[in-house]
């Protein structure tokens, strides 16, 4: 049997709106890992937040990988091996945070365990409804970091237009070394250009010595586009953004609450 890899976003893709998996999706994932295939949970989330979400899922660590922070880290769930790390520099981090502050937009960075923010803003309260990491409050975010973060995040509760304006203002400086992309209409992800879900897909496939042609990816938002384009088969959720659907090879007929991925898992992995 030729081994394959399933790369999947979490929210609004693998997970239902209640942050669990449908019984049919669980059965398909369990079967493909039992057959010796791999699954890579691939998210913009911090690694610890991914581990929290995964702890609620009735699936095995066998053949399971975490790709966190939009491709910033690749970690084996089974062994704990860190396969890859790509971080911002401290200088890049400071520039991103300063630009967001000057635009009047909440932004924060991360340690390997916590969110680091200047204040407990309404935006951060909103974010922590899903991401339950502890928060360190400080006037000097960069000074609090022992290592550069994998990403920074800007949040606007007023809609995407403010985030797009921030993105446009940063592009001349960021071009070639920082990726700026909205993962939802309220979140602007800011991470190294060498990172990204598509680049992580290629790195893990190379590590496992599996051709990219034997990879399937699934996602729903703009930060999934590189992964949808890189995979042998890119599957966009019908509930996803128009840009994600345009980038995919195929689009699900039903959404994440109604077994949208199951037919493609059964076909691609010959379940």
């Amino acid at each position: 049997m030729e081994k394959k890899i399933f790369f999947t976003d979490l929210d609004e893709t693998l997970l239902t709106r209640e942050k669990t998996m449908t019984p049919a999706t669980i059965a398909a994932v369990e079967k493909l890992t039992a057959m010796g295939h791999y699954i890579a949970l691939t998210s913009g989330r911090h690694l610890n937040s991914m581990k929290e979400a995964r702890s609620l899922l009735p699936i095995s660590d066998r053949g399971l990988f975490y790709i966190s922070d939009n491709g910033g880290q690749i970690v084996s769930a089974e062994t704990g091996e860190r396969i890859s790390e790509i971080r911002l520099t401290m200088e890049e981090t400071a520039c991103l945070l300063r630009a967001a502050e000057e635009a009047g937009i909440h932004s924060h960075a991360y340690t390997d365990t916590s969110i680091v923010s200047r204040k407990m803003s309404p935006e951060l309260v909103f974010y922590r409804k899903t991401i339950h990491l502890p928060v360190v409050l400080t006037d000097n975010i960069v000074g609090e970091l022992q290592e550069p973060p994998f990403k920074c995040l800007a949040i606007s509760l007023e809609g995407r237009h403010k985030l797009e304006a921030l993105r446009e203002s940063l592009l001349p400086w960021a071009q070639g070394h920082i990726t700026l992309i909205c993962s939802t209409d309220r979140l602007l992800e800011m991470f190294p250009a060498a990172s990204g879900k598509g680049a992580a897909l290629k790195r893990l496939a190379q590590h496992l010595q599996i051709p990219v042609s034997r990879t399937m990816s699934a996602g729903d938002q703009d930060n999934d586009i590189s992964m949808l384009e890189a995979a042998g088969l890119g599957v966009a959720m019908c509930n996803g953004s128009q840009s994600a659907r345009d980038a995919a090879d195929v689009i699900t007929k039903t959404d994440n609450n109604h077994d949208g991925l199951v037919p493609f898992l059964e076909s691609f992995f010959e379940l």
Side-chain angles (χ1 to χ4, degrees):
M1 181 197 73
E2 294 183 330
K3 291 189 176 184
K4 300 176 181 179
I5 316 173
F6 173 41
F7 293 84
T8 179
D9 179 51
L10 290 176
D11 302 300
E12 302 300 317
T13 300
L14 183 71
L15 303 183
T16 66
R17 293 182 186 93
E18 292 72 39
K19 306 303 180 184
T20 185
M21 292 166 65
T22 67
T25 305
I26 292 168
V29 168
E30 287 182 333
K31 190 167 184 180
L32 74 88
T33 54
M35 293 170 66
H37 300 300
Y38 300 101
I39 178 170
L41 303 179
T42 309
S43 177
R45 291 192 190 203
H46 187 284
L47 179 61
N48 286 0
S49 179
M50 291 189 70
K51 288 179 177 179
E52 178 192 26
R54 181 258 171 275
S55 71
L56 303 176
L57 306 178
I59 57 177
S60 169
D61 282 343
R62 178 176 50 188
L64 181 68
F65 294 86
Y66 298 112
I67 299 177
S68 70
D69 304 284
N70 292 299
Q73 337 185 42
I74 304 175
V75 178
S76 167
E78 189 171 4
T79 67
E81 177 190 5
R82 289 181 177 268
I83 295 163
S84 175
E85 286 191 359
I86 300 176
R87 297 177 183 263
L88 295 164
T89 67
M90 289 295 198
E91 293 77 14
E92 290 168 340
T93 302
C95 287
L96 293 168
L97 296 172
R98 183 168 57 251
E101 183 176 27
E102 290 173 352
I105 298 173
H106 168 90
S107 64
H108 61 249
Y110 303 82
T111 67
D112 285 352
T113 58
S114 306
I115 297 167
V116 186
S117 176
R118 291 186 180 87
K119 60 182 179 179
M120 186 60 76
S121 66
E123 291 83 1
L124 186 53
V125 171
F126 160 79
Y127 182 67
R128 293 189 72 246
K129 290 179 180 178
T130 301
I131 307 300
H132 306 131
L133 296 171
V135 177
V136 176
L137 299 179
T138 176
D139 290 333
N140 183 5
I141 294 178
V142 173
E144 188 69 30
L145 303 175
Q146 295 183 343
E147 289 186 278
F150 294 104
K151 73 169 191 175
C152 293
L153 187 72
I155 307 175
S156 173
L157 301 182
E158 299 176 30
R160 191 170 183 142
H161 64 282
K162 287 192 71 173
L163 297 176
E164 289 291 354
L166 173 60
R167 178 179 177 275
E168 289 296 322
S169 72
L170 282 166
L171 274 178
W173 165 79
Q175 197 73 35
H177 65 108
I178 302 290
T179 295
L180 307 163
I181 195 163
C182 288
S183 56
T184 74
D185 287 340
R186 293 175 170 177
L187 305 179
L188 177 65
E189 310 275 349
M190 303 180 285
F191 55 90
S195 187
K197 294 186 179 185
L201 180 153
K202 294 174 183 176
R203 289 197 299 274
L204 182 58
Q206 182 178 37
H207 175 78
L208 296 173
Q209 298 183 322
I210 293 176
V212 168
S213 61
R214 298 209 298 266
T215 66
M216 170 182 158
S217 68
D220 71 301
Q221 288 295 332
D222 291 6
N223 64 323
D224 298 315
I225 288 173
S226 65
M227 177 173 71
L228 294 171
E229 292 177 336
L233 177 68
V235 181
M237 304 304 295
C238 65
N239 50 282
S241 72
Q242 185 62 55
S243 297
R245 285 179 282 149
D246 289 344
D249 298 304
V250 292
I251 302 169
T252 64
K253 293 183 178 178
T254 56
D255 66 16
N256 57 307
N257 265 20
H258 298 91
D259 301 324
L261 291 176
V262 172
F264 298 98
L265 291 172
E266 291 177 340
S267 174
F268 190 80
F269 292 93
E270 302 177 21
L271 304 182

